[in-house]
Amino acid sequence: NLPKVAKLSDSIEQAIIQAAKQRIKEKKQSSDVKLDLTVQAKDLGIADPAILHDNPLYAIKKLARNFELLLSFDPIQRAQVLIRQDNEKTLEAAKLLEKSSSRKTIDLALATLAEVEKDFAKLKENSAKLDKLRQEQPERVEKIVDQIIRNGLARQTIFSSIEDKVYGKDYVRVEKIRQNVLKDGVDSLLQLTGGDAEVLVLKLEKAVMISSR
């Protein structure tokens, strides 16, 4: 369970990490020892990726993503695109490591996660614009908040599964990316909820209960 009161973003970050690790533990205690990435794709609201970073067609996929983001002028639409693309990239990194543990594959997975890290910095920057819309379009902003929370738990679960497959400096790099992604995500949530950590924690507790069903 999440702490009843989290006055600092660090407390919220740790709560999300612990919730993700608990999900992994529960999976391992069940008959499905291996984390089902197809289920995780469903939790993230995306399709199971067919084209990964090791596919020559990935360059076209990457170009299409860049154009989609470039054409997303509305702050809310831009946030939705960033979140969806980062969900896809996180799952792609996990799928790569599921296929192979070679040095080349690990490097591709790390490069994919580094893109997620950069995108979350963009999301945080975009949240400042979304905060201005909180009074004008509260329902749309509320949906973004719920999506970040819901997807955040699934994403952290995937990060935990990735960390189980890498070691040494690679593990340290993944953990650093995970921490930065989580921090920018929580900072974005705090901006979008007007800095009300208690309201945010209540939303997180609800998301954790739903995900554990």
Side-chain angles (χ1 to χ4, degrees), residues 54-188:
D54 58 351
N55 189 313
L57 294 176
Y58 193 83
I60 298 175
K61 184 177 184 179
K62 190 173 181 178
L63 187 62
R65 280 174 173 163
N66 291 338
F67 270 116
E68 183 182 25
L69 193 59
L70 187 65
L71 296 174
S72 300
F73 302 109
D74 176 67
I76 293 178
Q77 180 190 13
R78 184 175 177 82
Q80 290 172 329
V81 170
L82 279 169
I83 294 167
R84 176 172 50 75
Q85 289 187 0
D86 286 337
N87 289 345
E88 293 170 352
K89 292 173 185 177
T90 304
L91 195 62
E92 286 167 5
K95 295 280 284 187
L96 281 169
L97 292 173
E98 190 177 57
K99 288 173 57 178
S100 170
S101 59
S102 69
R103 182 69 258 168
K104 181 180 178 180
T105 301
I106 292 172
D107 287 342
L108 286 174
L110 289 174
T112 305
L113 292 177
E115 291 180 17
V116 175
E117 183 179 25
K118 291 178 182 177
D119 286 348
F120 260 82
K122 294 177 185 176
L123 180 65
K124 180 181 175 180
E125 181 181 342
N126 189 65
S127 295
K129 298 176 183 177
L130 280 174
D131 187 45
K132 298 175 183 177
L133 296 176
R134 206 157 45 93
Q135 302 300 324
E136 302 170 11
Q137 304 178 50
E139 292 181 0
R140 292 185 70 197
V141 174
E142 187 78 3
K143 286 182 180 179
I144 292 294
V145 170
D146 291 339
Q147 184 180 2
I148 293 174
I149 292 173
R150 184 174 62 251
N151 292 167
L153 290 172
R155 188 180 301 103
Q156 288 298 313
T157 302
I158 295 172
F159 263 102
S160 290
S161 73
I162 290 173
E163 289 183 339
D164 285 343
K165 295 181 175 67
V166 293
Y167 307 93
K169 292 181 179 179
D170 297 325
Y171 177 92
V172 173
R173 179 62 183 137
V174 173
E175 178 60 20
K176 183 65 176 176
I177 292 173
R178 178 228 275 271
Q179 290 175 7
N180 289 339
V181 165
L182 188 55
K183 184 179 187 307
D184 285 343
V186 170
D187 286 347
S188 297

